[in-house]
Amino acid sequence: MLLVLGRPGSGCTTLLKMLSNRRGGYASVKGEVWFGSMTHEEAKRYRGQIVMNTEEELFFPTLTVGQTMDFATRLKVPFHLPIAVDSKELYQVESKMFLLESMGIEHTYDTKVGNEFVRGVSGGERKRVSIIECLATRGSVFCWDNSTRGLDASTALDYTKALRALTDTLGLASIVTLYQAGNGIYNLFDKVLVLDEGKQIFYGPMKDARPFMEGLGFLCGDGANVADFLTGVTVATERQIRKGYENSFPRNADMLLAEYEKSSIQARMLEEYNYPKTVTAKERTEDFKEAVAHEKDRQLPANSSMTTNFLTQVNACVVRQYQIIWGDKATFVIKQVSTLVQALITGSLFYNAPNNSAGLFVKSGSLFFSLLYNSLLAMSEVTESFSGRPVLIKHKSFAYFHPAAFCIAQIAADIPVILFQVTIFLVVLYFMVGLTATASAFFTTWIVVIATTMCMTALFRAVGAAFTTFDAASKVSGFLISAAIMYTGYMIQKPQMHPWFVWIYWIDPLAYGFQSLLANEFHHKQIPCVGTNLVPNGPGYTDPTYQSCAGVGGAVQGEVSLTGDQYLESLRYSHTHVWRNFGIIWALWALFVAITIVATSHWRLSSENGPSLLIPREKMKHVKAIINDVESQANEKQINSSSVSANTALKDSDDVVDNNLVRNTSKLNLNYMVKKPSGDPVNPSLLPGDNVNIMSDKESQAIGKQTGSGRTSGNTALKDDDNGDDNLIRNTSVFTWKNLTYTVKTPSGDRVLLDNVQGWVKPGMLGALMGSSGAGKTTLLDVLAQRKTEGTIHGSIMVDGRPLPVSFQRSAGYCEQLDVHEPYATVREALEFSALLRQSRDVPTEEKLKYVDTIIDLLELHDIADTLIGKVGAGLSVEQRKRVTIGVELVSKPSILIFLDEPTSGLDGQSAYNTIRFLRRCEKWL
């Protein structure tokens, strides 16, 4: 077991991607990675055995935990079962229950996985589902990227012990990156690799890491966290130097690397590099290949990465698609009810169309709308393609199924839904309009509408699959539906189409469907001309001998009626084309399905393009600081040496920091001069990137020797009490809750989630809510913040001894555990949006925006203020997103209190400490 340590942005995730053979998105990769005696090219066919568990939990939220694990284990049942197992079904069930019980989440079997918008299991339980889903792959090499994120300390230790046991028992290779790894977890590993700025500053046995660093002059205190000690040796504000080494210790990653290269540890490690070329490695690699081939289904080709045959893959994917639909029953029901309502409304508009020339356009309109409505519903496939894409890419990397199996499963799930949808629509519309009341005519219309709907669904699914961004796909799909409607043949009849654009008609599925519907409806019909279509017409003109049809396509001069086939001929339609068009529609459907399969096979996550910060072009002129890639730590290391070596002592009129500072325990990169409230510079020598700390003796005594680093949000130029009163709102209310009980209804009966809970928070108090994963911490916060919309709440929640006012939610802030933001908004726009809409309307707009600047400085967001939030991997990092979440709540000026649900989840030890230290400082400001 190898533990990879490094601060956020040091390159740990990138290293894990290289070791798990995920090289997409990188310009070049130099060096070699051997899997036994296989190169990375040879190992591609074994991607199901080289697995990476990413930091993000990617699931279909409407599936239950049991359904999620049932799918994962069903597709990894070996072809040759162990001797003691009687059937594949038994093997799959036992494997599923073993994994659930190994992580202690068997009680969540029937609970939805959930996400930011769907209520489900807790954050820690969701992380454990992610872990066991990865273990279900039965891989040989596992890379775990911060896999303890969201877990409590006890569960994280149990997980690492389980990983240790699996590694020893099954002979696995486990490579793990962890933040906030305690000594109990650290001691379970065999080797440690330390990264800094992408450089490997140590790689060797776990027992040698601490002595090596201490031998270079670094001090690791008694009982200190060894993992944090190793990652902090290159950060001036974290490391402690042993007496006598003040002038000789290595100060940066390059110097540390030079020391490591001179050590005997590296020499021993270099000797292991020859292992891939040894006879033992080659023999074991051959044994590995034979074992994988033994488990693989015989129907699969030799170069396939899958375990089960294609039919099993399709069956599992079909079952899951139905489970996804059934898990979101509300959407399905609303969609079908809306279809029925639309049919009734449309039928009333075209009600009882006459069987003469006056009804030609009316009947054509009703048939056109039957195609149009179902085609518009099919546009939702573009959105669904992107909502489920990350999960499918993850499963593809796990070698669960071939993309064709998933596409076929989607089609199989479409069939009953479209059959039901078209049937309830046509049964109402067809007979309300008064179309041909024969079985053959009705069922011909029915099957043609179904075929056209299937084809349009496949078209929009192909559009969604073919584009990498929703923005591009939505534009193309909008253009396609506009062109398809315009050139169907209803709005612009076929003979009137401009020759330059008539080619659109020939590739339009709606045009073929519309032609078949009209030919089916008007074939063998006698259509009398009436009203304005009969000339001359009026009093005294009643003799048909002297009248003639006019204004009707296909009418013959001197005749007062025409046949349906004459009308069709005028539109260049023919009844003989009905089933020809039906075949063309299915041919187009097959083309779109093929495009979908090919495009799905080339899907990849946006994070595979490399992490990046996205800055709108119009905001570039506002960006004054150098924005570095999140895989770079340059900003954190630009520290003025004088401010590091000297004990910076600053005075501030705020009584929180009214004592002289004795040591510098936090670092802040400023791109402006630090000023006193009066505007006078505190220290003119401080330049951008200088190290500044503001901390009280009281705080120093509280934290002992623990040091802070990174972005300590409260370390900017603070205003004193007099000036701060104008900007920072004060809380004077006491918040209490007593005998709080929360009960929800479940399929098995009522379940009590909170049982007789009480507590109180006074102004200036920072309260910590403790409990293991799944204990009910988030539930309690939701109830206290009045965010629950289901279940029954008993007990009292009061402010200053009185019931909660109507404006309570506006007076309290709530930072949720999952950072939900608009990805296409910049950080400043997100904060301004919250401030403008949530602060009192009596506050001038200028003052609201000024307060946003104050919070941006407090949270040190000025470097990224004009950067798009984006998504993890293609936007802000996890730590930066967490600070934005806190900022969005602070700018609303919560007047009573602020709730924070796991604000340190996903942060390393020092960043977590800095976040809590900032909140501690906020207890006086807010």
Side-chain angles (χ1 to χ4, degrees):
M1 287 178 64
L2 171 65
L3 176 61
V4 180
L5 295 175
R7 295 177 55 79
S10 61
C12 296
T13 300
T14 301
L15 176 62
L16 255 62
K17 287 183 178 180
M18 296 299 103
L19 298 183
S20 61
N21 217 15
R22 297 187 177 192
R23 302 191 171 210
Y26 295 95
S28 64
V29 179
K30 298 180 180 179
E32 296 178 346
V33 178
W34 294 88
F35 301 90
S37 61
M38 294 187 295
T39 65
H40 71 274
E41 289 291 341
E42 296 173 310
K44 286 182 178 180
R45 56 181 291 190
Y46 297 100
R47 69 171 186 269
Q49 296 293 319
I50 306 169
V51 183
M52 178 176 177
N53 179 254
T54 59
E55 189 173 3
E56 304 89 19
E57 296 96 35
L58 304 172
F59 298 102
F60 288 108
T62 57
L63 293 181
T64 65
V65 172
Q67 290 168 346
T68 301
M69 292 309 303
D70 182 78
F71 178 80
T73 53
R74 188 184 299 274
L75 293 173
K76 286 296 180 178
V77 177
F79 182 75
H80 294 93
L81 297 174
I83 299 175
V85 182
D86 297 329
S87 66
K88 293 185 177 181
E89 290 74 17
L90 180 61
Y91 180 91
Q92 185 256 331
V93 171
E94 290 183 351
S95 175
K96 174 177 61 178
M97 296 312 300
F98 167 76
L99 290 171
L100 290 169
E101 292 170 2
S102 67
M103 283 293 157
I105 54 173
E106 64 274 11
H107 62 281
T108 66
Y109 188 89
D110 294 319
T111 306
K112 289 182 179 179
V113 177
N115 61 5
E116 304 95 305
F117 310 107
V118 178
R119 188 170 67 90
V121 298
S122 69
E125 290 169 339
R126 190 179 298 111
K127 171 56 73 174
R128 282 182 274 175
V129 175
S130 177
I131 291 171
I132 62 176
E133 184 190 38
C134 190
L135 290 173
T137 61
R138 303 174 67 249
S140 301
V141 178
F142 286 96
C143 296
W144 305 91
D145 188 10
N146 196 16
S147 51
T148 59
R149 174 189 175 190
L151 300 182
D152 59 273
S154 175
T155 305
L157 180 59
D158 290 342
Y159 152 72
T160 312
K161 288 180 177 178
L163 202 61
R164 176 79 266 178
L166 287 172
T167 302
D168 293 339
T169 305
L170 303 178
L172 306 179
S174 300
I175 306 164
V176 186
T177 64
L178 294 178
Y179 295 147
Q180 305 181 38
N183 289 337
I185 295 176
Y186 175 83
N187 293 331
L188 291 171
F189 287 86
D190 300 307
K191 290 183 179 180
V192 177
L193 188 153
V194 184
L195 287 176
D196 188 80
E197 297 182 9
K199 299 181 178 67
Q200 176 183 294
I201 60 175
F202 180 84
Y203 169 66
M206 177 270 296
K207 65 180 186 300
D208 293 339
R210 178 175 174 176
F212 171 75
M213 294 299 180
E214 288 180 329
L216 297 178
F218 300 105
L219 176 64
C220 182
D222 295 335
N225 192 320
V226 178
D228 285 346
F229 162 69
L230 294 176
T231 59
V233 293
T234 59
V235 182
T237 53
E238 292 183 31
R239 63 193 177 202
Q240 298 181 39
I241 310 304
R242 294 170 59 190
K243 187 175 181 180
Y245 287 86
E246 291 85 352
N247 298 321
S248 60
F249 72 92
R251 287 167 170 75
N252 53 44
D254 292 328
M255 297 176 69
L256 263 171
L257 180 58
E259 293 294 333
Y260 172 70
E261 290 175 346
K262 293 186 292 185
S263 67
S264 61
I265 298 175
Q266 192 204 31
R268 297 202 311 268
M269 295 300 103
L270 286 175
E271 293 175 1
E272 299 178 356
Y273 289 176
N274 296 322
Y275 173 79
K277 299 179 181 179
T278 62
V279 176
T280 303
K282 294 178 180 179
E283 291 177 350
R284 290 180 177 177
T285 302
E286 290 302 318
D287 292 341
F288 164 78
K289 292 180 179 179
E290 291 177 4
V292 173
H294 184 72
E295 291 186 349
K296 188 186 302 182
D297 194 285
R298 291 180 178 177
Q299 298 179 12
L300 294 172
N303 60 350
S304 175
S305 303
M306 317 305 166
T307 302
T308 56
N309 60 55
F310 187 74
L311 188 60
T312 303
Q313 297 171 29
V314 172
N315 181 58
C317 290
V318 169
V319 171
R320 185 180 66 173
Q321 285 301 117
Y322 284 121
Q323 290 172 341
I324 292 172
I325 294 173
W326 189 247
D328 191 13
K329 293 185 288 290
T331 300
F332 176 77
V333 171
I334 291 172
K335 186 176 181 180
Q336 304 312 317
V337 171
S338 300
T339 299
L340 179 60
V341 172
Q342 285 286 351
L344 291 169
I345 294 174
T346 308
S348 65
L349 290 175
F350 299 105
Y351 182 70
N352 202 16
N355 294 319
N356 51 42
S357 62
L360 288 175
F361 198 70
V362 176
K363 290 183 177 181
S364 299
S366 64
L367 294 172
F368 170 73
F369 187 79
S370 65
L371 296 175
L372 173 64
Y373 177 76
N374 290 285
S375 298
L376 292 176
L377 288 183
M379 287 188 70
S380 63
E381 291 298 326
V382 176
T383 304
E384 293 178 6
S385 173
F386 285 90
S387 62
R389 182 174 299 190
V391 183
L392 301 173
I393 296 174
K394 179 183 73 171
H395 288 170
K396 177 186 173 183
S397 69
F398 288 171
Y400 278 164
F401 53 80
H402 191 278
F406 167 70
C407 295
I408 293 173
Q410 283 186 311
I411 296 167
D414 286 342
I415 294 173
V417 174
I418 291 178
L419 285 175
F420 182 76
Q421 172 186 307
V422 171
T423 300
I424 62 173
F425 186 84
L426 273 185
V427 165
V428 174
L429 178 65
Y430 194 90
F431 295 105
M432 284 187 71
V433 175
L435 300 175
T436 305
T438 64
S440 61
F442 172 77
F443 283 108
T444 299
T445 300
W446 179 75
I447 194 66
V448 169
V449 173
I450 286 176
T452 308
T453 304
M454 290 284 290
C455 187
M456 294 302 292
T457 301
L459 168 62
F460 290 116
R461 190 171 287 156
V463 171
F467 288 88
T468 57
T469 63
F470 176 73
D471 182 56
S474 61
K475 290 176 181 177
V476 172
S477 62
F479 169 77
L480 288 178
I481 193 64
S482 300
I485 292 171
M486 190 69 67
Y487 284 86
T488 299
Y490 177 71
M491 301 178 69
I492 306 176
Q493 294 181 349
K494 171 67 169 55
Q496 299 172 355
M497 293 181 184
H498 196 286
W500 288 0
F501 302 107
V502 73
W503 59 270
I504 300 177
Y505 171 87
W506 295 113
I507 62 173
D508 185 0
L510 292 180
Y512 292 103
F514 185 64
Q515 181 181 161
S516 294
L517 294 181
L518 255 62
N520 176 64
E521 176 61 27
F522 295 125
H523 181 56
H524 284 329
K525 291 288 181 65
Q526 191 68 30
I527 306 169
C529 295
V530 297
T532 57
N533 298 126
L534 192 62
V535 294
N537 188 25
Y541 297 97
T542 58
D543 188 353
T545 307
Y546 303 102
Q547 292 178 312
S548 178
C549 285
V552 181
V556 178
Q557 185 176 354
E559 300 290 338
V560 294
S561 65
L562 72 158
T563 65
D565 292 297
Q566 288 176 323
Y567 177 68
L568 293 173
E569 180 63 27
S570 69
L571 300 175
R572 308 283 175 83
Y573 294 167
S574 173
H575 183 262
T576 59
H577 294 168
V578 171
W579 299 110
R580 182 206 69 174
N581 294 347
F582 183 75
I584 292 174
I585 291 172
W586 283 113
L588 290 172
W589 171 85
L591 173 64
F592 299 145
V593 170
I595 293 173
T596 304
I597 293 175
V598 172
T600 304
S601 302
H602 293 85
W603 277 356
R604 65 180 186 179
L605 290 171
S606 58
S607 58
E608 291 186 24
N609 295 324
S612 58
L613 293 178
L614 308 174
I615 306 172
R617 291 186 180 90
E618 63 272 15
K619 298 292 184 181
M620 282 298 294
K621 60 182 180 181
H622 301 297
V623 180
K624 299 180 180 178
I626 298 176
I627 305 297
N628 285 313
D629 189 280
V630 295
E631 287 289 346
S632 169
Q633 295 173 303
N635 282 342
E636 296 187 6
K637 303 299 176 65
Q638 291 175 355
I639 304 174
N640 186 284
S641 59
S642 62
S643 63
V644 174
S645 58
N647 291 328
T648 308
L650 300 179
K651 287 268 192 174
D652 195 291
S653 56
D654 193 307
D655 58 4
V656 176
V657 288
D658 57 357
N659 298 318
N660 288 336
L661 302 180
V662 294
R663 62 180 298 181
N664 177 15
T665 61
S666 186
K667 179 268 309 168
L668 169 64
N669 294 323
L670 298 175
N671 58 358
Y672 50 82
M673 193 83 69
V674 179
K675 295 179 179 295
K676 289 183 178 179
S678 61
D680 297 330
V682 176
N683 186 347
S685 65
L686 292 178
L687 298 175
D690 282 352
N691 195 9
V692 183
N693 176 65
I694 301 176
M695 182 177 179
S696 66
D697 286 341
K698 181 178 179 181
E699 287 177 319
S700 298
Q701 296 169 3
I703 65 172
K705 295 183 178 181
Q706 186 175 9
T707 60
S709 71
R711 297 172 172 84
T712 304
S713 303
N715 290 352
T716 49
L718 303 178
K719 295 179 178 294
D720 63 10
D721 284 339
D722 295 335
N723 293 340
D725 286 340
D726 296 334
N727 286 329
L728 300 173
I729 194 164
R730 309 290 175 168
N731 173 31
T732 59
S733 301
V734 178
F735 183 71
T736 61
W737 60 96
K738 184 178 180 181
N739 299 330
L740 203 59
T741 301
Y742 178 59
T743 307
V744 296
K745 293 185 180 298
T746 65
S748 58
D750 291 347
R751 182 177 179 183
V752 178
L753 299 183
L754 298 176
D755 188 9
N756 254 352
V757 181
Q758 48 266 327
W760 63 285
V761 179
K762 66 179 181 179
M765 173 180 172
L766 179 64
L769 183 59
M770 310 293 288
S772 62
S773 176
K777 302 184 294 296
T778 300
T779 301
L780 177 58
L781 287 181
D782 286 341
V783 171
L784 294 179
Q786 303 293 294
R787 297 295 180 98
K788 286 297 185 186
T789 57
E790 300 176 354
T792 305
I793 301 174
H794 295 287
S796 60
I797 304 176
M798 296 181 288
V799 175
D800 292 334
R802 294 185 293 273
L804 297 182
V806 178
S807 62
F808 173 74
Q809 287 192 347
R810 186 168 58 84
S811 305
Y814 189 10
C815 297
E816 296 185 358
Q817 181 177 353
L818 300 173
D819 304 313
V820 183
H821 297 286
E822 169 54 51
Y824 296 107
T826 65
V827 172
R828 183 179 296 278
E829 288 169 350
L831 268 58
E832 289 179 349
F833 184 81
S834 177
L836 292 173
L837 293 185
R838 297 175 65 185
Q839 288 189 27
S840 173
R841 61 182 179 182
D842 299 326
V843 179
T845 300
E846 182 180 352
E847 185 176 334
K848 293 179 181 179
L849 299 179
K850 184 177 179 182
Y851 190 73
V852 169
D853 293 331
T854 300
I855 297 301
I856 286 177
D857 286 342
L858 290 176
L859 291 172
E860 291 191 31
L861 295 170
H862 41 266
D863 285 352
I864 57 173
D866 295 303
T867 300
L868 290 181
I869 296 174
K871 299 177 182 179
V872 176
L876 301 185
S877 65
V878 173
E879 180 198 4
Q880 292 167 335
R881 294 170 65 86
K882 185 64 67 177
R883 284 189 285 151
V884 174
T885 300
I886 297 174
V888 166
E889 297 302 320
L890 290 181
V891 295
S892 67
K893 286 192 175 181
S895 57
I896 298 180
L897 76 168
I898 182 169
F899 301 97
L900 299 103
D901 190 5
E902 296 197 23
T904 62
S905 179
L907 307 183
D908 68 307
Q910 292 301 328
S911 298
Y913 166 71
N914 290 332
T915 300
I916 299 302
R917 186 169 179 268
F918 166 72
L919 295 176
R920 183 70 178 175
R921 192 176 296 277
C922 281
E923 75 179 29
K924 176 173 179 58
W925 298 339
L926 305 179

